[in-house]
Amino acid sequence: MSTTLRSGLSQARSNWAMLALFLGAFVVGTAELVVVGVLNIIVKDMGVSISTAGTLVTAYSLGISIGGPVLAALTIKFGRRFLLWLSFLAYVLGNVAAAFAVNFGMLVTARIITGALHGLFMGVAFAVAGALVPPERMGRAIAVVFGGFAVSTALGLPLGNLIGQGFGWQAAFGAVIILGVIALIAAVAFIPQVPNAGTGGIGAQAKHALAPRVLAVLAVGFLLLGGQYAALTYITPFLEQVTGISGSLIGAFLLAYGIANAIGTFGGGWAADRNPSRTLIIANIVLILALGGLWLMGDAPVMVAIALFVWGVVGFGLVPSLQHRVVTLAGPGRDLAATLPQSAVTAGIAIGALVGGLAVEAYGPPAAVITGLIAFAIALPGVWAISFLKVPDFGEAESSSTDDDTTASSSVPASN
């Protein structure tokens, strides 16, 4: 006998819906990170410096951090399923524009646009996933969606690197487009209609989504992910110049990091359902130890592989806890708030990639790792402080939202 979940779906139907969300996240994760694997090719093809090419990461991240919430605000009344479809279709088309960019300016513009659509899609995907499971499994639902992004670092990034190195960076984007079409078909076929989880219009939602307690958690996410990408964006030159490896070995090291991301993300969902605050504290401490080891023993390949693996496990493993805390603390503003962790962490990624690039140009690849360590050290007191934040009593607004969700979720209509 099949199990009926909160959404009114059978367990099997819910699993197919979660798989579609996973695939969509895999595509956007691959598209975001594929640039890292082909940065050297873009430098040669476009005739720009390594730091200038690194702004493609910054541009995409700024698209997510600014454009994502703006698009979410403009579409706050849209049905979640329709918005999921629409945002992903536009995302695929944006990557088509990137693949056919004839100069660096066009490529940067395409990255900004796709970044904004990425932010919107992921926020909606988290909201849909949360509506498909009981509240006590929200962390694991978040982990499944973000797991698609994590697996993209294990498979999408290395494969994109191989395709790009062999056939050009445009071919890497072409692979993303093909995967995007497949994921879009899956979303149309399997994603059911779910209720909007927040209450009221943009003003009412912003009141809760932008409350100081939520902004404090977002600031922590900014530092933790920004510090990681200050180092990760320039990990290839670090491996080449400090560790002394090249070619396929770099792909193998990135694969180890990506596999660790996937493991950490799914484990992080389990940890988020138990104690998200404690998970964030532990992750911050381990990140300091991992990057410290990378800096101190960067010339020892085995130790570097271990440091990358540990970094990968906790680096993405903290994301479900971050998302969980933001959505929970936002209460009635959770539909808008669902896009904000992506905005905060990718703003951190943008600044981290920029500062990391400046550090590399001035002092060489090890400086990017030091930049990450400084960000983690600054974040630690904040991570400890937000562990004391309590979820407020949202009163009638929250009760109404819960009642509406329960009513609307009792059946799954056939249309938007």
Side-chain angles (χ1 to χ4, degrees):
M1 183 176 179
S2 64
T3 303
T4 300
L5 303 180
R6 181 175 62 147
S7 60
L9 298 176
S10 68
Q11 181 70 62
R13 178 73 187 279
S14 178
N15 289 342
W16 281 107
M18 294 298 290
L19 176 61
L21 294 173
F22 175 92
L23 288 174
F26 176 83
V27 171
V28 299
T30 300
E32 177 177 4
L33 298 174
V34 73
V35 165
V36 176
V38 297
L39 211 58
N40 60 329
I41 305 175
I42 294 174
V43 166
K44 295 176 182 177
D45 193 29
M46 295 288 187
V48 296
S49 68
I50 184 68
S51 61
T52 299
T55 61
L56 291 171
V57 177
T58 303
Y60 192 97
S61 300
L62 289 175
I64 296 175
S65 60
I66 299 173
V70 170
L71 292 179
L74 294 174
T75 58
I76 200 72
K77 294 292 188 178
F78 284 34
R80 298 297 93 181
R81 178 173 63 171
F82 173 72
L83 186 56
L84 192 83
W85 296 348
L86 181 63
S87 61
F88 199 74
L89 172 61
Y91 186 81
V92 172
L93 295 175
N95 279 283
V96 172
F100 286 94
V102 296
N103 56 54
F104 191 73
M106 289 180 63
L107 185 56
V108 170
T109 301
R111 293 288 287 175
I112 293 173
I113 293 170
T114 51
L117 291 164
H118 171 140
L120 176 62
F121 170 80
M122 289 298 288
V124 178
F126 286 133
V128 170
L132 295 174
V133 298
E136 65 273 13
R137 293 182 62 88
M138 181 171 66
R140 276 162 283 190
I142 291 170
V144 169
V145 177
F146 198 77
F149 191 96
V151 172
S152 73
T153 65
L155 297 178
L157 176 56
L159 289 176
N161 176 269
L162 289 174
I163 294 171
Q165 299 295 333
F167 303 98
W169 63 267
Q170 294 94 337
F173 275 97
V176 168
I177 294 164
I178 294 171
L179 289 173
V181 171
I182 295 171
L184 180 59
I185 293 171
V188 172
F190 300 122
I191 301 296
Q193 182 175 335
V194 297
N196 292 12
T199 58
I202 182 60
Q205 292 224 17
K207 174 184 176 182
H208 297 285
L210 301 178
R213 60 184 179 275
V214 178
L215 296 179
V217 180
L218 295 175
V220 164
F222 173 90
L223 289 170
L224 291 178
L225 270 294
Q228 290 187 64
Y229 272 76
L232 180 62
T233 304
Y234 305 97
I235 195 65
T236 297
F238 181 91
L239 294 174
E240 289 176 337
Q241 299 177 35
V242 179
T243 311
I245 63 174
S246 60
S248 60
L249 270 179
I250 291 180
F253 274 62
L254 292 177
L255 177 62
Y257 172 82
I259 291 172
N261 281 168
I263 294 171
T265 298
F266 292 111
W270 176 86
D273 283 331
R274 279 151 182 79
N275 194 320
S277 296
R278 182 175 59 197
T279 300
L280 289 171
I281 293 173
I282 293 172
N284 195 162
I285 293 171
V286 175
L287 281 172
I288 291 174
L289 296 175
L291 261 71
L294 191 65
W295 178 61
L296 292 172
M297 296 174 284
D299 58 349
V302 173
M303 298 307 298
V304 167
I306 293 172
L308 282 174
F309 188 85
V310 173
W311 173 10
V313 169
V314 299
F316 273 28
L318 63 85
V319 173
S321 291
L322 185 69
Q323 185 81 24
H324 191 291
R325 285 291 278 161
V326 166
V327 172
T328 303
L329 289 170
R334 60 173 64 93
D335 273 343
L336 178 59
T339 66
L340 298 182
Q342 285 281 307
S343 298
V345 301
T346 51
I349 289 170
I351 301 301
L354 178 62
V355 174
L358 294 174
V360 168
E361 286 199 336
Y363 304 104
V369 176
I370 293 296
T371 303
L373 278 170
I374 292 172
F376 299 151
I378 295 172
L380 188 57
V383 171
W384 177 79
I386 65 171
S387 68
F388 295 98
L389 292 174
K390 302 298 181 184
V391 179
D393 180 4
F394 293 108
E396 293 182 3
E398 177 69 1
S399 299
S400 175
S401 173
T402 303
D403 292 342
D404 290 346
D405 287 355
T406 303
T407 302
S409 299
S410 62
S411 61
V412 183
S415 65
N416 285 301

